[in-house]
């Protein structure tokens, strides 16, 4: 639902790194989005297509990797995956402990850029 | 020759907002101002709860309110009528408040003359959970008419909040809202969450809520 704010933030990060690395064009952007985040992939691409116009990132394709919701049990240390929307119970499957904390699933990251570099001096 | 390369980034998209939120939190702590971020769906009772809280705590704490809405001055007018300073943020479309907006609002309040600032976030159970405002505590309201299955639908909000207020308990007799089930689901996801049950109409639970707030600010 807040894809616009996220896309604006994402574009800022991408353009900063593109400039720092003297990139000619950004072809692809790989994102890591946690399962806890209510972001719709299609809208990210749509907002991105609009906002990136006129920049070196125009036309870049987004690849969205999802990071699952993983909890750690405070009692036995077990780390386990949870299907947040379908699961009835979040307690530890090993010891039944309820002292749990979320250790992954909230990410909103730019992982990697696929770019065309500025052409340097020709070698021959 | 065109060279295609992969550049490793691994940067959080919302890191700018997070950094500013952390700065705001530090600054408020140094100034002895406690800020609360109150979130919920539209119509759950945020403004009513704020008005009831002001009436009960106004003599002990100097309170200020930051109102967030897409548009309208309706909420801030109600707060000002209680004799409390309020800043109205009109987002014009943004579905949540973020740290830059809160910073601007704080700059319009005389923080030297305040002990408690309450943010009434935009009515929305999704997006506000993602954007740290710099508040010391996050509190959400779920009202009885909304139903007891919301933990499953909006897990992030329940995960990030320090307290949950089940509001409009006066509606319990009209609905099949299962309070025990809601509390169980919320605690399963967030074992440390404090849960209150209130009615701004009958006054039920408001003393307990204010007591927690008193102790947390202290």
């Amino acid at each position: 639902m807040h894809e616009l704010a996220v896309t604006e933030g994402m574009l800022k990060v991408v353009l900063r790194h593109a400039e720092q690395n003297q990139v000619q064009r950004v072809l692809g952007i790989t994102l890591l989005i946690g399962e806890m985040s209510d972001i719709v992939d299609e809208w990210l691409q749509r907002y991105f297509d609009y906002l990136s116009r006129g920049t070196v990132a125009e036309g870049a394709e987004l690849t969205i990797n999802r990071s699952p919701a993983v909890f750690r049990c405070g009692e036995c240390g077990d780390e386990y995956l949870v299907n947040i929307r379908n699961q009835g119970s979040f307690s530890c499957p090993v010891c039944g402990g309820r002292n749990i904390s979320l250790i992954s699933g909230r990410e909103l990251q730019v992982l990697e850029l696929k770019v065309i570099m500025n052409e340097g001096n020709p070698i021959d | 020759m065109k060279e295609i390369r992969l550049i490793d980034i691994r940067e959080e998209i919302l890191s700018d907002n997070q950094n500013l939120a952390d700065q705001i939190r530090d600054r408020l702590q140094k100034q002895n101002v406690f800020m609360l971020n109150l979130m919920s769906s539209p119509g759950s009772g945020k403004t009513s709860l704020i008005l009831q809280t002001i009436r009960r705590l106004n003599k002990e704490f100097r309170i200020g309110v930051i109102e967030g809405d897409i548009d309208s001055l309706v909420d801030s007018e109600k707060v000002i009528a209680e004799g409390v300073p309020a800043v109205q943020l009109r987002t014009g479309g943004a579905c949540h408040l973020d740290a830059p907006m809160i910073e601007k609002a704080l700059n319009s309040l005389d923080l030297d003359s305040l002990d408690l600032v309450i943010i009434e976030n935009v009515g929305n159970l999704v997006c506000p959970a993602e954007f740290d405002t710099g508040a010391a505590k996050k509190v959400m309201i779920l009202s009885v008419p909304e139903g007891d299955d919301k933990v499953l639908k909006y897990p992030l909000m329940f995960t990030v909040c320090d307290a949950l207020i089940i509001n409009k308990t006066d509606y319990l007799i009209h609905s099949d809202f299962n309070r025990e089930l809601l509390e169980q689901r919320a605690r399963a996801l967030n074992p440390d969450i404090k849960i209150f049950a209130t009615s701004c109409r009958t006054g039920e639970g408001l003393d307990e809520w204010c007591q927690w707030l008193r102790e947390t600010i202290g």
Side-chain angles (χ1 to χ4, degrees):
Chain A
M1 223 178 114
H2 41 289
E3 286 80 358
L4 182 58
V6 170
T7 309
E8 284 172 336
M10 185 223 308
L11 186 60
K12 242 168 82 180
V13 171
V14 168
L15 293 180
R16 185 184 355 112
H17 283 274
E19 194 186 313
Q20 277 168 11
N21 288 275
Q22 296 188 309
V23 157
Q24 189 189 92
R25 220 181 118 207
V26 180
L27 299 173
I29 302 165
T30 305
L31 304 172
L32 181 67
I33 296 184
E35 205 49 60
M36 296 291 276
S37 205
D38 244 302
I39 296 279
V40 175
D41 299 7
E42 188 198 323
W43 280 104
L44 269 189
Q45 182 72 65
R46 281 208 216 178
Y47 278 125
F48 182 79
D49 290 342
Y50 179 74
L51 291 175
S52 63
R53 274 191 229 160
T55 73
V56 298
E58 181 176 345
E61 195 188 314
L62 302 185
T63 303
I64 297 167
N65 296 345
R66 285 280 173 178
S67 161
V70 177
F71 285 87
R72 178 183 290 131
C73 175
E75 319 281 344
C76 73
D78 185 52
E79 293 176 7
Y80 54 97
L81 224 118
V82 166
N83 187 339
I84 283 288
R85 278 157 188 83
N86 290 338
Q87 204 123 330
S89 161
F90 303 104
S91 48
C92 178
V94 169
C95 75
R98 289 174 175 217
N99 178 12
I100 60 171
S101 52
L102 186 72
I103 57 169
S104 127
R106 287 197 61 189
E107 299 84 351
L108 261 180
Q109 284 180 12
V110 175
L111 279 186
E112 185 180 80
L113 300 183
K114 183 174 172 186
V115 303
I116 295 177
M117 301 303 293
N118 271 325
E119 288 172 38
N121 290 324
I123 290 165
D124 49 51
Chain B
M1 200 178 103
K2 290 203 176 177
E3 186 195 339
I4 294 184
R5 244 216 268 162
L6 293 176
I7 303 178
D8 199 46
I9 310 276
R10 291 179 201 277
E11 190 175 314
E12 279 290 332
I13 290 169
L14 298 181
S15 57
D16 280 354
N17 188 77
Q18 190 59 59
N19 291 336
L20 182 58
D22 290 336
Q23 282 171 37
I24 291 171
R25 217 177 337 265
D26 279 339
R27 169 188 161 195
L28 292 178
Q29 205 188 25
K30 291 190 172 87
Q31 291 183 271
N32 281 316
V33 177
F34 183 92
M35 187 160 75
L36 189 80
N37 182 8
L38 187 61
M39 301 174 278
S40 81
S41 299
S44 300
K46 291 187 291 302
T47 312
S48 300
L49 185 83
I50 288 173
L51 297 177
Q52 293 296 329
T53 304
I54 289 171
R55 287 171 198 162
R56 281 168 174 73
L57 296 182
N58 216 1
K59 299 216 165 38
E60 297 161 65
F61 301 104
R62 299 166 300 171
I63 304 173
V65 177
I66 298 175
E67 285 288 346
D69 282 296
I70 292 186
D71 204 352
S72 155
L73 299 169
V74 162
D75 290 346
S76 58
E77 283 167 356
K78 287 183 189 167
V79 169
I80 288 170
E82 295 290 319
V84 157
V87 177
Q88 177 80 57
L89 290 170
R90 281 183 288 183
T91 73
C95 48
H96 59 274
L97 299 179
D98 59 19
M101 294 178 201
I102 294 302
E103 193 183 48
K104 238 192 202 155
L106 289 172
N107 290 339
S108 312
L109 289 168
D110 177 14
L111 294 179
D112 288 333
S113 68
L114 294 176
D115 306 304
L116 167 64
V117 172
I118 304 175
I119 300 170
E120 181 176 342
N121 215 311
V122 177
N124 180 342
L125 221 42
V126 182
C127 319
E130 292 266 29
F131 296 87
D132 194 341
T133 56
K137 291 287 178 194
K138 296 189 187 79
V139 176
M140 66 169 291
I141 301 177
L142 183 83
S143 68
V144 169
E146 292 172 69
D148 54 40
D149 59 349
K150 294 302 176 286
V151 182
L152 306 171
K153 295 190 182 187
Y154 304 99
L156 187 62
M157 181 60 78
F158 286 84
T159 304
V160 305
C161 283
D162 300 289
L164 159 66
I165 299 173
I166 303 170
N167 195 30
K168 305 192 186 181
T169 51
D170 48 306
Y171 277 79
L172 280 170
I173 55 165
H174 302 295
S175 81
D176 50 12
F177 185 95
N178 187 333
R179 183 179 152 180
E180 213 177 273
L181 184 59
L182 173 78
E183 294 198 21
Q184 206 183 84
R185 282 173 169 156
R187 288 204 173 95
L189 191 56
N190 183 351
D192 295 328
I193 197 168
K194 296 272 179 299
I195 302 181
F196 303 94
T198 62
S199 163
C200 291
R201 278 236 175 109
T202 66
E204 181 192 345
L206 291 172
D207 288 337
E208 284 87 340
W209 153 248
C210 288
Q211 184 54 24
W212 179 81
L213 197 49
R214 224 179 245 123
E215 286 166 5
T216 309
I217 297 172

